[in-house]
Amino acid sequence: MIQFVIFMGKPGSGKGTQAQYFSKHGWIHLSTGDLFRRHLAEKTPLGKQVQEFVENGNLVPDELTFALVEDFLKSVDQNANIVFDGYPRSKRQAELLDSWSKKTGSKCLGAIEFCLSDESAMERLLNRYYCPVCGYVSNKPGFCVNDGTPLVKRIDDNVEVIQKRVRDYDSYGAELRAYYRNKGIYVAVDAGKEPEEISAFLERIMLKNGLR
Ligand code: ADP
């Protein structure tokens, strides 16, 4: 049975960093943003379809995004533990994931929101570098610690597009918060803390809920 945790939070809130940490402990890290960027870089038909959305910070349509997620889920070990990073981003996406979950007998263990001020998010994103090969993220330019690839800036990490992504999160984040609160599986984390402190907090939650 696949078991999964949802990481939600505005861009720059550190979901990806924590998901990378969990992937070192055997969790599969599913970042829809990374998957889309890979398609863009490889100029696949899907990449061409989503290019305008991703570069302008607009959400890719729900059904298209879910098709990508479903494909990914079919390809993994059916007993895996998965961290969802950046999915779902609408109530419709959450519902599609729920139906998939029911259909396949998978289980959502929790929805964790990384809470951060808009100012901190902006500051972090303007100083963010990423590895186009594996998705590794750093706040300094240089080379990827995993594969030595030169780190680059993301095309959508510019002031205008960041402001739009952060604003959009206010609306879809509220919708998702209500959705998962209603299911009784919502947990908030202070994303302004140091990454190690957040990992330790998440580990405690996971342990308490029998997730590790
Ligand atoms: P962010 O730093 O904004 O959290 P991501 O890497 O998660 O960035 O996503 C980058 C872009 O990929 C988004 O702005 C959007 O265009 C697209 N995207 C990623 N996940 C989704 C999703 N669940 N639904 C729709 N579009 C998505």
Side-chain angles (χ1 to χ4, degrees):
M1 174 178 62
I2 290 183
Q3 302 196 91
F4 59 94
V5 174
I6 292 161
F7 281 2
M8 49 188 271
K10 64 184 64 153
S13 61
K15 315 178 288 288
T17 302
Q18 294 301 327
Q20 280 173 8
Y21 173 81
F22 277 88
S23 73
K24 290 204 183 101
H25 295 272
W27 290 66
I28 292 177
H29 176 191
L30 166 53
S31 157
T32 39
D34 280 350
L35 284 182
F36 283 137
R37 278 185 288 280
R38 223 157 281 155
H39 280 277
L40 280 180
E42 288 165 13
K43 299 191 165 52
T44 66
L46 175 68
K48 289 193 184 117
Q49 246 177 309
V50 302
Q51 180 162 11
E52 222 180 290
F53 295 102
V54 174
E55 290 184 352
N56 294 310
N58 291 317
L59 291 187
V60 174
D62 291 337
E63 314 292 332
L64 192 57
T65 304
F66 181 68
L68 177 90
V69 169
E70 197 175 24
D71 251 17
F72 179 90
L73 292 170
K74 276 186 195 147
S75 75
V76 302
D77 173 0
Q78 296 303 297
N79 287 310
N81 284 342
I82 304 179
V83 177
F84 278 71
D85 162 13
Y87 187 97
R89 285 191 191 194
S90 67
K91 188 161 169 241
R92 174 74 187 138
Q93 291 187 9
E95 287 166 353
L96 285 166
L97 183 60
D98 274 352
S99 337
W100 169 85
S101 219
K102 249 185 226 140
K103 193 174 78 188
T104 58
S106 310
K107 189 164 178 225
C108 181
L109 302 167
I112 297 170
E113 181 172 27
F114 291 69
C115 304
L116 189 71
S117 70
D118 290 359
E119 297 69 33
S120 307
M122 174 64 81
E123 197 187 312
R124 286 186 184 182
L125 292 176
L126 290 175
N127 290 304
R128 172 162 84 171
Y129 298 83
Y130 95 104
C131 170
V133 173
C134 74
Y136 169 78
V137 173
S138 168
N139 56 6
K140 288 189 267 326
F143 298 91
C144 176
V145 295
N146 299 322
D147 51 40
T149 308
L151 300 176
V152 294
K153 294 281 305 163
R154 268 170 50 174
I155 197 163
D156 56 347
D157 278 349
N158 63 75
V159 175
E160 211 175 294
V161 176
I162 293 172
Q163 274 167 345
K164 182 189 170 350
R165 279 151 58 210
V166 167
R167 253 195 334 266
D168 287 352
Y169 183 77
D170 286 340
S171 82
Y172 73 76
E175 204 176 70
L176 292 177
R177 200 175 301 127
Y179 186 86
Y180 289 114
R181 266 206 179 117
N182 197 30
K183 286 181 171 289
I185 56 169
Y186 171 85
V187 179
V189 171
D190 176 357
K193 296 207 164 122
E194 290 301 314
E196 296 73 24
E197 232 179 305
I198 298 173
S199 312
F201 176 77
L202 292 176
E203 293 236 13
R204 283 199 296 278
I205 301 179
M206 302 272 196
L207 272 176
K208 203 165 123 195
N209 292 288
L211 311 186
R212 289 286 305 274

